[in-house]
Amino acid sequence: MYRIETKINTASREFIENKTAFLQILQTYRDRIREVRKGGSLVMLERHKKRGKLLARERIDLLIDPNTPFLELSSLAAWGEYEGQFPSAGIVTGIGVIHGRETMIVANDATVKGGTYVKETIKKHVRAQQIAIENHLPCVYMVDSGGIFLPEQSKVFADRFDFGRFFYNQSKLSAMGVPQIAIVMGSCTAGGAYVPAMSDETIIVKNQGTIFIGGPPLVKAATGEEVSAEDLGGADVHTSISGVADHLAENDRHAIQICRNIFQTLEYKEKQILNISPVEEPYYDPEDLYGIAPIDLRKPVDSKEIIARIVDGSRFQEFKARYAPTLVTGFANIMGFPVGIIANNGVLFSESSLKGAHFIELCTTRKIPLLFMQNITGFIVGKQYERGGIARDGAKFVHATANAEVPKFTVVFGGSFGAGNYAMAGRAYDPRLLFMWPNSKISVMGGEQAAGVLIQVKEDQLRASGKEMDPTEREKLRSEILKKYEEEGSAYFSTSKIWDDGIIDPVDTRKILAMGIAASLNNKFPETKYGVFRM
Ligand code: COA
C-alpha cells in the first residue's frame, strides 16, 4: 500500500494556532475525566475504604490481566445532570482482557448514592450488555448496588430498555452460550438480586455481600419479622443454605482471584479469521491531529490527513480516488487489523452516496470491518440535486450501511449533522462502538442553519397575517437558537446521554479502534444480505 503524502506544514501559523486551541479543549476533557474518575464524595470514599472495600476502578484493575488496557466506556455519562451527584452515572463499564479473553465488565460504584441506578446508569448497563451480545463477550458483573434510585423510579423501571432489560439480556446471553460471572461485593437488593441469580457462577464476599429480593426494612414492614441483613441474605446463607451463590470469598481481592480462576475453565471459542499484518506505527505523528482536527467546523479538513495519523505506516489503498472526492474510501490496517475506511471530505452528493454504497459492498464481500470517520454537514440540497435524485442515491448509502454485517466502528472527528449521521453509521445504525473527539458536534443541523429555518418559518407565518418580524425580535430568536444548538450540539451533551460510547483523545483513536476490532472477532461475521437498492 502507498503512503499518504501529507500536505500539512506543522510549522505553519494555522497549524500552531489550531494545536494551541485544541490543547485547551483537551485540557477541559482531561479535567472532566479526572473529576468523574474520583467517584463519590470524600466522605463516601473514606467510608467505603474503611469497610475494607476496593473502589470500582481498583477492582477492575485487579480483575484484568496485568499490563493490559481497560477500554472504559461512557465515563462522562450523566455529565452536567443531577447537580453533579452521579459521576460516570455511578457505574463503570468497559472491555478488559481476562486470561486472554476480551470481557465486558460492569462494576457498580457504591460511593455514588449507594451504587443506585438513575436513567443513565441503566442505559450504560444495557449498552454494555448490548456490546457483549453483538461481540459475544463474556461478562463480569461486580455488584455493589442499592438497586433503583427510588426518587427516579418512574424514569427507570417499566419501559423496554429499563431495569428489567438487564435480566432479559442475561437470559439471552446465557442462551447464546456467552459466560457471565457475578461477584457480589456489596448490596444486591430487590431486582438486582437476579444479577447473581442469573449468572453462570457467582462469588460473594464474606460479611460484605448481601443478596435479597426484599431488604430488612421491607421484610419488617411486610411481615413484621426482624432480621439482620447478614441473616437474611449474607454470604454464609447463600453459599451454605440457599445455594444462590457458589463461591465464598474472604475479601474483594480473593473474590477477584476466584473470578480469574473461573475464566481459566471457560470453553475456547473459534474467532473470526482476519488477514492480520505486522503492526506498524503511523509514519506521521498522531499528535499532529491536534493541529489538524476541525475546531471551526466551517473550515474544511482533508480527512486523508486524519487517516494518515491513525493507520499503520500511514498507508492507504484508496478506492475511486478521482471520483466523488467529498467521500474518501479505501483500505488500511490499524494495529495490523484490516479495515475499510469511509471518511467525509465535504457534503454528500449522489455520486458520493453511490461510491459509499459500492465500497461497503466491497467490505462486506471481503469480510473487512468498516470504519466510518464522520465530519459531515449532510446531503447536498437544492433543485438541481433533488431532480437528480439525491434522496434515492442517499437512500442506497443508508441502506448499505444499515445492512452491512461486518463490524462497524464510528469516530466523529468533526461535525455530525443531518442524514449524513445516518449514512455514516450514527448510533441508530448499530456500529459496534461509536466515539466522539472532544471538539466534535452532533445535531440535526448546525445552529446557524436551524436559526435560518426557524426564522423563515416565523416570518412566513407573520406575513400570512399581514405582519412583519421586528428586527430586534429576529435577532433575539437567532441568538436563543444559536445558544441552544451550541449547548445541545456539544460532545459532552451527547456523551452525557450515552448517544456515544465516550469522548476520546484523538491520539488514542488508533489503540481504541484496535481493541474494538479485536473484541469484534469473538463473534464470527455473519453473511450480509441487502434488500432493494432503488435504481
Ligand atoms: N434510592 C435512592 N437513594 C438511595 C437508595 C435508593 N434505593 N439507596 C441508597 N440511597 C442513597 C442514600 O439516601 C444515601 O444518599 P445521601 O448520600 O444523599 O445521604 C446514599 O445513597 C448512600 O446510602 P447509605 O445508606 O448511606 O450507604 P450505605 O453504603 O451504608 O448503604 C445501601 C447502601 C444501598 C446498602 C443502602 O442504602 C440500602 O439498603 N438502600 C436501599 C436499597 C433498597 O431497598 N433498594 C430497593 C430499590 S429496587
Side-chain angles (χ1 to χ4, degrees):
M1 273 182 212
Y2 294 122
R3 176 167 293 146
I4 293 172
E5 284 295 327
T6 190
K7 295 189 183 68
I8 299 284
N9 173 4
T10 53
S12 70
R13 213 178 89 187
E14 190 190 1
F15 180 91
I16 293 166
E17 279 177 5
N18 204 83
K19 184 163 178 172
T20 310
F22 201 94
L23 288 176
Q24 274 185 11
I25 293 174
L26 205 59
Q27 193 54 48
T28 305
Y29 162 70
R30 287 181 180 153
D31 290 346
R32 290 179 178 187
I33 289 285
R34 197 173 314 117
E35 179 64 30
V36 295
R37 290 208 172 145
K38 285 185 203 151
S41 66
L42 274 181
V43 178
M44 287 301 176
L45 289 168
E46 279 309 309
R47 213 175 60 174
H48 189 84
K49 285 183 197 160
K50 266 204 190 116
R51 290 171 171 169
K53 294 162 89 174
L54 296 169
L55 299 173
R57 289 180 178 87
E58 292 173 341
R59 288 169 172 168
I60 293 171
D61 275 352
L62 283 175
L63 180 65
I64 61 176
D65 292 349
N67 302 319
T68 58
F70 175 61
L71 175 55
E72 187 172 325
L73 303 172
S74 299
S75 306
L76 293 165
W79 175 260
E81 301 291 335
Y82 311 101
E83 295 166 342
Q85 292 204 60
F86 275 89
S88 298
I91 197 164
V92 184
T93 60
I95 301 170
V97 175
I98 306 175
H99 281 294
R101 296 281 288 259
E102 286 91 8
T103 302
M104 178 53 73
I105 303 169
V106 177
N108 299 116
D109 183 350
T111 68
V112 177
K113 294 282 175 195
T116 52
Y117 282 78
V118 287
K119 193 170 154 203
E120 292 81 356
T121 329
I122 304 228
K123 214 169 164 188
K124 255 178 98 165
H125 189 127
V126 170
R127 172 71 188 146
Q129 290 180 312
Q130 183 60 32
I131 293 171
I133 289 170
E134 288 170 2
N135 298 284
H136 289 193
L137 301 185
C139 296
V140 174
Y141 305 102
M142 303 178 107
V143 191
D144 197 344
S145 162
I148 284 173
F149 183 74
L150 291 170
E152 296 278 316
Q153 73 83 23
S154 69
K155 298 187 188 123
V156 297
F157 174 61
D159 205 359
R160 186 168 174 215
F161 294 108
D162 281 352
F163 205 82
R165 194 72 183 189
F166 300 173
F167 319 115
Y168 173 88
N169 283 341
Q170 278 195 246
S171 312
K172 293 288 175 192
L173 279 159
S174 183
M176 286 164 60
V178 175
Q180 298 172 90
I181 314 296
I183 317 181
V184 182
M185 311 176 103
S187 186
C188 190
T189 308
Y194 292 113
V195 175
M198 298 189 85
S199 295
D200 295 0
E201 291 190 52
T202 287
I203 305 144
I204 185 165
V205 181
K206 202 161 106 183
N207 300 325
Q208 189 176 304
T210 53
I211 307 171
F212 28 65
I213 297 293
L218 182 65
V219 172
K220 175 129 195 263
T223 66
E225 187 186 10
E226 287 207 25
V227 58
S228 72
E230 202 55 36
D231 240 13
L232 185 64
D236 189 40
V237 170
H238 284 310
T239 49
S240 67
I241 302 174
S242 76
V244 171
D246 313 297
H247 307 274
L248 180 71
E250 291 299 319
N251 51 38
D252 280 7
R253 283 174 193 275
H254 185 208
I256 290 165
Q257 186 55 52
I258 296 172
C259 180
R260 286 187 52 82
N261 295 349
I262 292 172
F263 265 72
Q264 290 182 294
T265 71
L266 300 185
E267 179 195 359
Y268 175 76
K269 292 261 171 75
E270 292 277 332
K271 290 193 179 191
Q272 171 71 33
I273 294 169
L274 275 190
N275 189 7
I276 298 173
S277 306
V279 177
E280 198 184 347
E281 288 306 308
Y283 178 75
Y284 302 109
D285 187 354
E287 288 209 3
D288 291 352
L289 291 170
Y290 301 148
I292 306 169
I295 296 174
D296 175 357
L297 296 182
R298 284 167 302 192
K299 194 187 90 177
V301 168
D302 183 354
S303 51
K304 270 189 266 179
E305 298 288 358
I306 308 261
I307 295 169
R309 282 143 184 101
I310 288 176
V311 302
D312 288 8
S314 307
R315 295 176 200 285
F316 189 52
Q317 170 67 20
E318 192 167 359
F319 172 73
K320 269 182 165 16
R322 304 180 65 225
Y323 183 79
T326 61
L327 192 72
V328 172
T329 53
F331 299 95
N333 288 294
I334 293 184
M335 309 271 282
F337 297 113
V339 280
I341 301 178
I342 303 187
N344 301 116
N345 235 6
V347 176
L348 288 165
F349 292 89
S350 276
E351 57 272 25
S352 16
S353 307
L354 298 177
K355 177 176 170 180
H358 183 170
F359 186 70
I360 290 171
E361 280 195 294
L362 288 184
C363 292
T364 51
T365 306
R366 296 178 193 176
K367 292 227 167 30
I368 294 178
L370 275 161
L371 167 60
F372 292 83
M373 306 267 327
Q374 286 198 12
N375 180 22
I376 180 65
T377 45
F379 285 90
I380 190 76
V381 295
K383 189 167 114 185
Q384 176 195 348
Y385 302 105
E386 299 294 351
R387 291 185 173 200
I390 180 70
R392 184 196 53 206
D393 290 331
K396 292 189 186 80
F397 191 8
V398 173
H399 182 116
T401 300
N403 282 315
E405 286 289 359
V406 292
K408 294 171 279 196
F409 298 89
T410 305
V411 174
V412 185
F413 71 91
S416 178
F417 301 110
N421 168 286
Y422 308 155
M424 291 294 294
R427 191 61 143 188
Y429 290 77
D430 278 350
R432 297 284 175 101
L433 292 169
L434 185 156
F435 295 103
M436 314 262 301
W437 284 6
N439 55 305
S440 61
K441 298 229 162 15
I442 183 164
S443 53
V444 63
M445 58 178 80
E448 284 289 351
Q449 291 83 348
V453 171
L454 288 167
I455 289 169
Q456 184 71 50
V457 170
K458 201 80 208 152
E459 282 183 336
D460 289 350
Q461 272 177 352
L462 288 168
R463 214 164 286 131
S465 51
K467 293 181 201 149
E468 283 295 323
M469 197 173 203
D470 172 31
T472 342
E473 186 61 26
R474 184 186 296 123
E475 252 337 284
K476 186 167 165 273
L477 185 58
R478 178 186 302 283
S479 71
E480 276 170 8
I481 297 166
L482 285 182
K483 184 164 173 279
K484 188 172 163 62
Y485 269 69
E486 185 61 27
E487 231 173 79
E488 295 181 357
S490 127
Y492 293 100
F493 192 87
S494 163
T495 212
S496 170
K497 302 211 156 0
I498 314 151
W499 295 343
D500 53 59
D501 294 306
I503 299 179
I504 58 170
D505 181 337
V507 165
D508 295 332
T509 306
R510 167 180 163 76
K511 254 186 346 214
I512 287 173
L513 287 171
M515 279 187 80
I517 300 169
S520 76
L521 304 184
N522 288 284
N523 182 8
K524 288 198 181 168
F525 306 170
E527 286 302 319
T528 293
K529 187 175 173 304
Y530 297 107
V532 177
F533 281 110
R534 288 168 54 96
M535 298 300 169

